[in-house]
């Protein structure tokens, strides 16, 4: 008995394999060896984005203008005062964000407020 694959049959196998692979069915181990998608890393904390997304609703233009909340740029308050206000809020006026941010993150936000300039996009 002749076990050799005859050319016409071989051609048929190639066509079937091509159709399978076209349909997304792996026909060779290589097709299966996709590297697992890397777990996305948590984006680094951005005081600017945080400010824009959360605080900007009341402290307009990144705190460069008064809105529902006061202007924060060029504040004459101490860093500690700003830190405490952000962390503890003020009843009836501003929420306490001590539960949302770590102390380090609040310090980053205070630094961001200190970096605000009237003539410079934050
Ligand atoms: C719902 C509106 C609102 C949001 C949101 C808000 N604030 Fe305020 N914020 C206020 C108001 C109103 C005051 C004034 C409170 C007072 O009388 O001391 C204030 C005061 C402050 C002060 C003290 C300023 C000063 O000179 O007395 C800082 C600092 C501050 N906010 C930072 C932030 C930051 C940072 C965020 C976001 C994490 C934020 N605020 C979100 C309304 C808001």
């Amino acid at each position: 008995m002749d076990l050799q694959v005859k050319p016409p049959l071989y051609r048929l196998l190639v066509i079937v394999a091509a159709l399978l692979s076209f349909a997304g069915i792996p026909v060779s181990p290589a097709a299966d060896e996709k590297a697992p998608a890397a777990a996305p890393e948590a984006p680094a904390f951005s005081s600017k984005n945080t400010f824009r997304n959360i605080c900007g609703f009341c402290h307009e233009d990144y705190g460069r203008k008064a809105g529902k909340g006061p202007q924060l740029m060029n504040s004459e308050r101490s860093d500690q005062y700003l830190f405490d206000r952000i962390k503890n809020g003020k009843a009836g006026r501003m929420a306490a964000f001590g539960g949302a941010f770590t102390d380090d993150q609040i310090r980053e936000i205070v630094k961001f407020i200190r970096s605000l300039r009237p003539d410079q996009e934050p």
Side-chain angles (χ1 to χ4, degrees):
M1 194 168 131
D2 186 4
L3 287 176
Q4 225 188 338
V5 177
K6 295 271 190 279
L9 180 56
Y10 176 76
R11 208 171 298 145
L12 183 66
L13 284 174
V14 168
I15 291 166
V16 168
L19 287 174
L20 287 175
S21 87
F22 185 68
I25 299 163
V27 289
S28 74
D32 237 358
E33 281 169 15
K34 277 194 198 112
E41 282 188 36
F45 177 79
S46 156
S47 51
K48 177 182 167 177
N49 290 344
T50 299
F51 198 97
R52 185 185 57 224
N53 297 338
I54 300 175
C55 322
F57 177 68
C58 296
H59 299 284
E60 278 182 27
D61 194 17
Y62 291 99
R64 300 196 299 169
K65 279 200 305 221
K68 296 178 209 31
Q71 175 182 320
L72 301 177
M73 179 177 64
N74 297 334
S75 170
E76 287 174 2
R77 312 280 199 185
S78 68
D79 283 7
Q80 189 62 48
Y81 184 99
L82 301 180
F83 179 95
D84 289 342
R85 176 64 82 242
I86 297 167
K87 183 164 173 141
N88 304 317
K90 176 152 175 168
R93 310 234 40 214
M94 176 176 148
F97 288 94
F101 305 120
T102 65
D103 286 4
D104 278 350
Q105 290 172 332
I106 296 175
R107 276 188 280 271
E108 287 290 309
I109 295 173
V110 171
K111 255 198 256 168
F112 172 78
I113 291 170
R114 292 300 187 205
S115 76
L116 296 169
R117 301 285 175 270
D119 52 354
Q120 211 179 292
E121 271 298 296

